[in-house]
Amino acid sequence: MTSLDTEALYSIVLHPNDIFFEECELLFNKNNLDLTFLNNPFRFNFQIKAPFYLSHLYSENDMINNLKETNILDLKSIFDKKYKFISTSQINDNLVIIFEDDQKLNFFKSSIIRSFDIFRKTLDPLEFKKDISRYNNLSEKEFYYYQIWGYPYYYECSSHHISLLKDKNVNYLESSFSQIQYGSLKLLKQKNIDNDDYIELTSIS
């Protein structure tokens, strides 16, 4: 057991507007799925900065203040845009909804990845071995990104998607979503790697 088993993780996400969750509720009803899964809406996001452990050199308040310095004009252009539904796919047993790629969105995501990397904990050799074991069959580029950013699926190794459900067969997906629009940028915290319940530390909308 390493310290990573009990340490909190932090992530930065774009959170969909209310229309997305209304569409999710309709989809769940059509498939007779448990609506309580929607009770934690923080599970449904476009991941900007993947979950990371906080360096001992910084505090949560440091990250909160950094997020508040986000360029509001850049963020407004993202909130104003409606991204078209493209397809669905399976990623690590997760059913995901894929939306159109966008140059401004990619640039914004890259700027957040870089500006928040200063807060990411540098893992010792044992922690590194523990953490990277979560990923299977990484390509050379994905391993390179993991070494630099602590996460393998950035840039051309990622897609514009939102995870919906795990290990579920769902009908009517193609007709349920035509586009997505984001309503806020959030800094989230999860208790540890085995706990997927999130709390919001701060948000910009």
Side-chain angles (χ1 to χ4, degrees):
M1 182 174 178
T2 71
S3 62
L4 298 185
D5 294 304
T6 56
E7 285 191 37
L9 293 100
Y10 303 85
S11 57
I12 300 166
V13 302
L14 279 170
H15 193 65
N17 64 10
D18 291 341
I19 294 174
F20 174 80
F21 292 100
E22 292 169 3
E23 292 171 337
C24 282
E25 185 172 346
L26 289 173
L27 177 67
F28 275 47
N29 280 326
K30 288 179 180 177
N31 285 273
N32 296 314
L33 296 172
D34 185 0
L35 289 176
T36 60
F37 191 74
L38 297 173
N39 289 346
N40 186 352
F42 297 146
R43 290 186 175 128
F44 305 91
N45 298 291
F46 174 47
Q47 185 171 270
I48 299 294
K49 177 75 173 173
F52 61 93
Y53 301 96
L54 180 60
S55 166
H56 70 282
L57 299 174
Y58 298 97
S59 68
E60 290 181 356
N61 281 336
D62 292 326
M63 292 192 293
I64 290 170
N65 291 332
N66 193 60
L67 194 75
K68 290 178 179 178
E69 295 176 1
T70 301
N71 189 308
I72 299 302
L73 290 178
D74 288 346
L75 199 51
K76 184 179 185 304
S77 69
I78 289 171
F79 290 162
D80 288 344
K81 184 174 174 64
K82 297 176 181 178
Y83 301 93
K84 295 178 183 177
F85 168 84
I86 300 298
S87 64
T88 61
S89 184
Q90 293 283 139
I91 300 179
N92 297 329
D93 298 324
N94 287 293
L95 176 63
V96 303
I97 313 168
I98 299 175
F99 298 94
E100 68 176 309
D101 203 15
D102 180 81
Q103 187 174 1
K104 284 186 178 180
L105 180 60
N106 289 339
F107 184 83
F108 177 78
K109 180 177 179 179
S110 178
S111 69
I112 293 292
I113 291 170
R114 294 172 185 276
S115 68
F116 273 83
D117 209 56
I118 190 174
F119 302 114
R120 181 170 57 86
K121 174 182 179 178
T122 300
L123 305 183
D124 65 31
L126 186 60
E127 291 170 332
F128 180 95
K129 184 177 180 180
K130 167 80 173 180
D131 192 57
I132 201 171
S133 67
R134 296 186 290 129
Y135 308 106
N136 297 316
N137 303 317
L138 294 182
S139 68
E140 183 177 346
K141 177 60 69 68
E142 289 166 346
F143 183 71
Y144 174 71
Y145 283 154
Y146 178 86
Q147 289 180 302
I148 295 176
W149 304 111
Y151 185 71
Y153 308 119
Y154 281 141
Y155 304 108
E156 71 272 30
C157 299
S158 66
S159 63
H160 181 193
H161 72 269
I162 291 180
S163 294
L164 192 62
L165 290 165
K166 187 168 185 174
D167 298 325
K168 296 284 186 182
N169 292 318
V170 180
N171 298 315
Y172 311 109
L173 264 172
E174 303 290 333
S175 59
S176 296
F177 303 97
S178 61
Q179 60 190 17
I180 192 168
Q181 192 169 7
Y182 296 107
S184 59
L185 179 72
K186 298 182 183 296
L187 172 61
L188 302 181
K189 177 181 180 179
Q190 61 187 109
K191 185 176 180 180
N192 56 57
I193 194 66
D194 295 319
N195 187 331
D196 64 353
D197 287 332
Y198 299 88
I199 60 171
E200 177 185 309
L201 296 184
T202 191
S203 179
I204 304 174
S205 56

